[in-house]
Amino acid sequence: MDGKLLSATENTHSQMLSGATELKMSHIEIASVAGKRSDNVKRTIERLVKEGAIASPQIEERPKQGVSGQFVEHLLLDRLDSITAMASIDGNYCADLVLRWDNLESGRATPAAHLKEAPTNEQELPTPQTLLEINMNTSLKAIAFAEALGFTGNQKLLSADRLLKSQIGFSPLEAMGQKQLVAPVQAMTFTPTQLGQMMTPPEDPRHVNKLLEAAGLQIKIDSQWVPTDQGKPLCEILDTGKSHNSGTPVKQVKWYQSVLDQLRPAHPDQPETESLNQDCHYADPTMVGSETDHEPVQRKQKRKRNRYELDDYFSLVELGDFIGRSRQHVVEVLEKHRIIKWTGQGKKGKYLLSSKGWSYGLMYDPTEQAFHNYNSKRLTTSNAQPVLTYDILTFF
């Protein structure tokens, strides 16, 4: 028999004969001193027993901490065997274990009867209540973080929800059965294009933006309209979830219908910008004379091909420019999600919005500078092309 094993056996036998109660240390307490996983320590002890380096430990079933009705197996070792095991686990902690034993034997410390086990793959996940408390605390921190970044109101809550969903897979809104938040003000919001169609006569969205600017409700910064302090109570700033090529987040401003009371129509003596007629078509462009013709002719507006520069809508090409991809990629994604569909044969055809696509845009005729709605009879015969709102960015 190995010398260590003989010594340990004689020591145990002498204490049993004397009637003394021998102190034992659980493998979980040894793991705690060494900062190791208890299951790894247990396997090391079982290996040392097979090798004959230590005596077979006493086995005791103890209640599992925090779980009613469940028990955990503890391997109990005496002082010598525990130090031998520690030397095999990590010799750097032998001195710590000896100090622990000195404190136990002198009465300066009490045995840790119910030390919590280090987590193992076999152990159960946290209880639903514990997990909920953790997620709730994390959610409050995420909201505070969003607020520190300058988000307010619903945007603060939505931003925090997206952060939690992307990082830990937990969505407070989904957990509470709320996929969207109700606006604090119970009113619909509208783009400048939609506001323009409400005006009498209907106005070009570019003109509406100029009226909003003239009323002191918005200013243009880096090619983007931004509401002023005076305009903020009359609008909502929506986060599209996308960024410009520069990394700046894309924001969309939508206005409450009450903002129309703040807009003054252009003075009759001032030149009007292009406006919509009752059929939702833009009025004819300015006519200019010709040195050779007695009748006026239209002055053609120079514009880059398939780039319409509408404030609230992307053409297919502009959408590709915005996300940094080709028009073909945009078309493939939109066809996949059934937003647009091809009508016609071969090259003699064009893309139209599908039934689903009308929720994300309109058909725009750059020749007539007119929008067509779902009921228009000229969708296929005109030069109308799909134009899409910022909401379409959710598919990219």
Side-chain angles (χ1 to χ4, degrees):
M1 181 180 292
D2 185 90
K4 289 185 178 179
L5 180 59
L6 179 61
S7 175
T9 303
E10 291 175 348
N11 181 48
T12 303
H13 182 66
S14 62
Q15 290 200 16
M16 289 177 63
L17 291 176
S18 64
T21 302
E22 183 182 12
L23 287 174
K24 298 281 187 178
M25 182 176 290
S26 165
H27 76 283
I28 295 177
E29 185 169 1
I30 296 172
S32 176
V33 173
K36 306 294 183 181
R37 288 169 56 103
S38 59
D39 56 337
N40 291 337
V41 171
K42 183 179 179 182
R43 282 193 289 269
T44 300
I45 291 173
E46 291 171 344
R47 175 177 60 80
L48 293 174
V49 170
K50 288 182 180 180
E51 294 173 354
I54 61 175
S56 296
Q58 177 184 339
I59 300 176
E60 182 178 306
E61 296 285 336
R62 294 179 179 176
K64 187 173 183 179
Q65 185 178 9
V67 182
S68 177
Q70 293 190 21
F71 294 83
V72 177
E73 184 180 82
H74 286 245
L75 305 184
L76 304 180
L77 286 75
D78 61 18
R79 176 178 180 128
L80 180 58
D81 284 348
S82 65
I83 295 174
T84 302
M86 180 63 82
S88 180
I89 295 165
D90 192 335
N92 294 325
Y93 290 93
C94 284
D96 294 336
L97 191 69
V98 170
L99 179 61
R100 172 68 178 168
W101 270 107
D102 288 343
N103 290 333
L104 289 173
E105 292 172 339
S106 64
R108 291 192 296 271
T110 56
H114 303 293
L115 276 176
K116 186 176 180 180
E117 284 189 293
T120 66
N121 294 333
E122 293 77 16
Q123 282 188 297
E124 296 181 357
L125 295 174
T127 63
Q129 181 178 357
T130 302
L131 188 59
L132 178 60
E133 290 177 356
I134 294 172
N135 287 336
M136 288 173 65
N137 290 333
T138 306
S139 298
L140 293 176
K141 292 179 180 179
I143 293 172
F145 178 67
E147 185 174 6
L149 293 178
F151 293 101
T152 59
N154 284 352
Q155 285 303 109
K156 174 175 65 177
L157 302 180
L158 290 170
S159 299
D161 187 79
R162 292 191 190 102
L163 174 64
L164 294 165
K165 181 71 173 180
S166 64
Q167 298 301 314
I168 66 174
F170 174 71
S171 167
L173 292 181
E174 291 180 8
M176 293 186 287
Q178 301 293 328
K179 294 185 178 180
Q180 59 185 5
L181 294 175
V182 178
V185 179
Q186 296 298 313
M188 294 181 63
T189 54
F190 303 92
T191 65
T193 298
Q194 294 167 324
L195 290 177
Q197 293 175 356
M198 297 176 188
M199 300 174 73
T200 305
E203 296 288 351
D204 179 344
R206 287 166 288 189
H207 186 205
V208 174
N209 274 318
K210 291 296 183 182
L211 293 177
L212 290 166
E213 182 181 32
L217 302 180
Q218 68 177 12
I219 58 175
K220 204 162 194 177
I221 301 177
D222 295 333
S223 302
Q224 280 190 303
W225 289 111
V226 178
T228 62
D229 290 339
Q230 181 181 347
K232 286 180 180 178
L234 299 171
C235 70
E236 286 202 15
I237 305 174
L238 306 179
D239 183 3
T240 65
K242 296 291 180 178
S243 300
H244 293 287
N245 291 334
S246 62
T248 306
V250 177
K251 306 290 184 181
Q252 184 181 21
V253 181
K254 286 191 174 183
W255 300 88
Y256 299 117
Q257 188 173 358
S258 58
V259 77
L260 292 174
D261 298 334
Q262 305 284 331
L263 305 185
R264 297 180 180 180
H267 192 278
D269 296 333
Q270 294 178 342
E272 292 279 352
T273 56
E274 296 166 349
S275 61
L276 292 166
N277 58 30
Q278 295 297 333
D279 296 324
C280 293
H281 286 62
Y282 283 98
D284 292 334
T286 305
M287 308 290 284
V288 297
S290 169
E291 294 180 356
T292 57
D293 298 327
H294 296 287
E295 294 181 359
V297 296
Q298 283 191 350
R299 179 172 58 194
K300 293 184 178 179
Q301 183 178 3
K302 293 182 179 180
R303 190 184 301 275
K304 293 181 180 180
R305 182 176 175 82
N306 297 325
R307 290 174 172 83
Y308 311 139
E309 299 178 1
L310 301 172
D311 287 321
D312 304 309
Y313 295 92
F314 295 111
S315 69
L316 299 181
V317 174
E318 289 170 324
L319 181 55
D321 292 342
F322 187 83
I323 64 174
R325 302 299 296 269
S326 67
R327 177 184 180 277
Q328 182 60 33
H329 173 79
V330 170
V331 167
E332 290 174 357
V333 172
L334 296 181
E335 283 188 307
K336 175 183 176 182
H337 292 283
R338 299 181 180 179
I339 303 297
I340 60 175
K341 60 182 179 180
W342 180 259
T343 180
Q345 296 181 350
K347 294 183 178 180
K348 295 182 179 180
K350 65 177 182 179
Y351 285 104
L352 297 176
L353 291 172
S354 66
S355 299
K356 177 181 177 181
W358 286 100
S359 301
Y360 296 93
L362 293 171
M363 297 293 292
Y364 176 72
D365 188 337
T367 304
E368 299 178 358
Q369 294 186 341
F371 287 98
H372 292 267
N373 58 30
Y374 181 79
N375 298 319
S376 174
K377 297 179 180 180
R378 301 183 59 241
L379 289 179
T380 57
T381 58
S382 70
N383 193 33
Q385 305 291 328
V387 289
L388 302 155
T389 66
Y390 280 95
D391 292 338
I392 200 65
L393 294 174
T394 58
F395 295 102
F396 294 89

